[in-house]
Amino acid sequence: MPARLDEKLEPIFQDVLHRNPGESEFHQAVHEVLETLGPVLVKYPEFVEKKVIQRICEPERQIIFRVPWQDDKGEIHINRAFRVEFNSALGPYKGGMRFHPSVYLGIIKFLGFEQIFKNALTGLPIGGGKGGSDFDPKGKSDDEIMRFCQSLMTELYRHLGEYTDVPAGDIGVGGREIGYLFGQYKRITNRYESGVLTGKGLDWGGSRARTEATGYGTVFFTQEMLKARGDSLDGKTVVVSGSGNVAIYAIEKAHQLGAKVIACSDSSGIIVDEKGIDLAVVKRLKEVERRRISAYTDVHKHAKYVEDGNIWSVPCDVALPCATQNELNGSDAKTLVENGCIAVAEGANMPTTPEGVQIFQEASLAYGPGKAANAGGVATSALEMQQNASRDSWTFAYTEKRLEDIMIEIHKSSFETAEEFGSPGNYVLGANITGFIKVARAMDAMGLI
Ligand code: GLU
């Protein structure tokens, strides 16, 4: 059972349910934020009077459009794409594009809603948005991906701009897709507007450390949570779900900080390697050959592959869910706690169900919600926009240091806010309130728009 809402917030939530039928992930994301806002309303009664929360829950603009494209055999396919421009109080809409067959309006709205508070937490001037399509990139050729991206951008370009809306990657959208999207935007508009997309290649306006940023940031955040408890990652056993961009660079940074990652996964199964995951193999399989993680055992015969295995049943000190939403439920959370896990930080967006979150909080382990723990990706996107605006290109070391400082600051502000509002150690409450207050004050200052 999710926690009860404050009496002023319950009718607002009922209204969200009523106005957005069937969008369960969006309902979940809104509920999780509203659960923590009760004490804010006592301190800021003007937010109630001016209906700031109701306004935040309603996207400023939602775009839904058809994307027709032809496969290599000439057959025609029709997909649906979305861009939800949720909130621009702090800056241009900012957030990734997700290509996955599960995408529908409710998924994009949950992601866009999370993005508002995550982006506010970074302290950088970016609003919140998200987009995507129900297109399935799995098994598609490069040419098919290119034709799909070009068709999508042929409609989306009119809604974008470096001061308007700046997409990036998410699940199913990486450097290759951003290249095709940027190429088509440049061609249609006849403008080399570098700051209109982030996650670009290093030769054409991308930022060093952007590829690594989400995974690295999640591990920096984990390190801060452990430090606050007088501990560190050194010598810890870590389990990372997923094997995409976020997981790969979480594993890399965890190894650099002296931890041993013993398991990772993809949607087919899990790999357990007690000697420590060989990241070079995972990178080759996933980034170059685009193959299944099961092929890991072709190289490392001692490792174990379990088809449909549950990664959360692998005992560990630290768990980093880096795959997708609702991948860790109440019973997984219980297993982790029983196995002695001391910290969980979310590299993915909303990977833990409300039941799982409650179990982590009751067990008082260090639990870093995605909004705070995975904000390093979008923060480094904002650093990419800075470099584009000043026609500059920073070194890896400098950019990584900026990222680390931002993650330290996000941890500090979430930690201190949780204390201030009477829930020490509750990073969910700390992150939600910190992000919310920044956005709400900006909205209030700008009047009723
Ligand atoms: N998709 C990433 C996220 O969930 C990054 C978004 C961006 O860089 O704009 O935050």
Side-chain angles (χ1 to χ4, degrees):
M1 268 295 286
R4 280 171 59 97
L5 294 179
D6 177 279
E7 58 174 21
K8 290 200 187 64
L9 292 165
E10 183 59 35
I12 299 178
F13 182 65
Q14 289 306 322
D15 197 42
V16 168
L17 285 181
H18 182 72
R19 291 167 64 84
N20 305 277
E23 298 176 358
S24 60
E25 296 83 0
F26 179 51
H27 304 159
Q28 184 183 333
V30 171
H31 198 280
E32 191 249 302
V33 170
L34 296 191
E35 267 173 35
T36 57
L37 293 187
V40 181
L41 302 186
V42 180
K43 197 166 169 197
Y44 296 90
E46 65 269 33
F47 294 161
V48 181
E49 194 192 312
K50 295 181 181 172
K51 299 204 174 175
V52 172
I53 299 178
Q54 289 91 324
R55 281 194 270 153
I56 284 190
C57 291
E58 183 68 22
E60 289 176 14
R61 189 177 298 110
Q62 309 182 55
I63 302 141
I64 306 181
F65 56 100
R66 177 175 71 199
V67 185
W69 59 281
Q70 265 180 313
D71 68 21
D72 290 342
K73 295 193 203 92
E75 197 180 319
I76 289 171
H77 299 266
I78 312 294
N79 282 97
R80 183 176 294 172
F82 307 85
R83 187 76 189 163
V84 173
E85 298 181 333
F86 227 118
N87 193 295
S88 61
L90 298 182
Y93 308 107
K94 182 82 198 84
M97 295 290 288
R98 175 177 292 191
F99 293 171
H100 191 271
S102 65
V103 164
Y104 75 106
L105 187 58
I107 293 269
I108 301 302
K109 272 160 76 175
F110 119 63
L111 290 164
F113 187 74
E114 295 271 303
Q115 203 84 45
I116 303 171
F117 307 101
K118 183 197 308 195
N119 294 5
L121 266 177
T122 67
L124 298 164
I126 40 179
K130 201 85 186 191
S133 172
D134 57 5
F135 172 75
D136 186 359
K138 222 176 255 166
K140 302 288 189 297
S141 70
D142 271 2
D143 285 348
E144 288 171 334
I145 298 281
M146 181 179 74
R147 285 195 291 273
F148 176 78
C149 288
Q150 290 179 339
S151 180
L152 181 142
M153 186 53 88
T154 303
E155 169 59 31
L156 188 61
Y157 87 95
R158 71 190 78 247
H159 305 287
L160 306 183
E162 62 177 321
Y163 297 109
T164 309
D165 185 354
V166 182
D170 195 82
I171 293 172
V173 178
R176 172 181 61 170
E177 291 74 17
I178 294 295
Y180 296 144
L181 291 167
F182 185 74
Q184 186 73 349
Y185 183 87
K186 180 172 83 65
R187 180 193 200 187
I188 293 173
T189 59
N190 192 32
R191 282 161 62 87
Y192 204 111
E193 192 184 333
S194 299
V196 74
L197 286 171
T198 60
K200 299 182 293 296
L202 295 184
D203 298 325
W204 41 280
S207 172
R208 293 189 179 82
R210 175 62 190 91
T211 308
E212 295 82 356
T214 313
Y216 276 23
T218 301
V219 175
F220 287 140
F221 192 88
T222 311
Q223 180 82 319
E224 289 308 300
M225 290 199 300
L226 291 172
K227 256 195 220 160
R229 295 172 170 230
D231 205 343
S232 84
L233 269 166
D234 193 34
K236 297 288 185 294
T237 299
V238 180
V239 161
V240 177
S241 65
S243 50
N245 171 262
V246 181
I248 285 175
Y249 293 97
I251 296 173
E252 186 162 287
K253 186 50 73 181
H255 283 166
Q256 286 173 13
L257 295 182
K260 183 158 89 168
V261 180
I262 56 162
C264 65
S265 62
D266 66 13
S267 54
S268 311
I270 70 171
I271 287 288
V272 183
D273 185 344
E274 298 289 349
K275 290 188 182 166
I277 292 288
D278 180 345
L279 195 58
V281 173
V282 178
K283 279 189 183 176
R284 176 165 55 74
L285 290 175
K286 290 292 171 180
E287 293 184 334
V288 185
E289 298 171 3
R290 297 180 196 274
R291 289 171 65 195
R292 307 308 298 167
I293 198 73
S294 54
Y296 185 93
T297 53
D298 298 348
V299 185
H300 291 296
K301 306 263 185 268
H302 65 270
K304 203 167 70 186
Y305 174 70
V306 189
E307 202 174 312
D308 291 329
N310 183 348
I311 194 152
W312 311 120
S313 67
V314 180
C316 61
D317 301 314
V318 174
L320 305 177
C322 295
T324 193
Q325 68 274 355
N326 292 330
E327 55 162 312
L328 196 165
N329 62 26
S331 99
D332 300 325
K334 238 168 138 184
T335 308
L336 283 166
V337 171
E338 279 163 13
N339 285 341
C341 178
I342 56 165
V344 177
E346 298 180 338
N349 291 312
M350 207 170 74
T352 310
T353 64
E355 293 73 22
V357 174
Q358 203 181 335
I359 288 164
F360 288 149
Q361 286 180 332
E362 280 163 10
S364 294
L365 56 67
Y367 167 63
K371 256 184 229 103
N374 74 38
V378 75
T380 310
S381 277
L383 301 182
E384 182 171 333
M385 291 161 73
Q386 276 186 39
Q387 291 168 78
N388 295 150
S390 57
R391 303 196 186 285
D392 201 352
S393 172
W394 306 342
T395 63
F396 190 93
Y398 177 74
T399 317
E400 189 190 12
K401 180 77 178 75
R402 295 274 320 251
L403 164 66
E404 187 176 4
D405 290 346
I406 290 167
M407 296 314 296
I408 291 172
E409 190 51 42
I410 293 173
H411 174 272
K412 184 166 175 274
S413 55
S414 310
F415 186 87
E416 289 176 355
T417 304
E419 298 221 310
E420 183 191 335
F421 284 86
S423 291
N426 185 341
Y427 292 101
V428 177
L429 180 137
N432 285 346
I433 293 185
T434 309
F436 173 80
I437 289 177
K438 273 189 195 155
V439 178
R441 285 165 59 137
M443 286 175 72
D444 189 24
M446 291 178 200
L448 185 60
I449 53 171

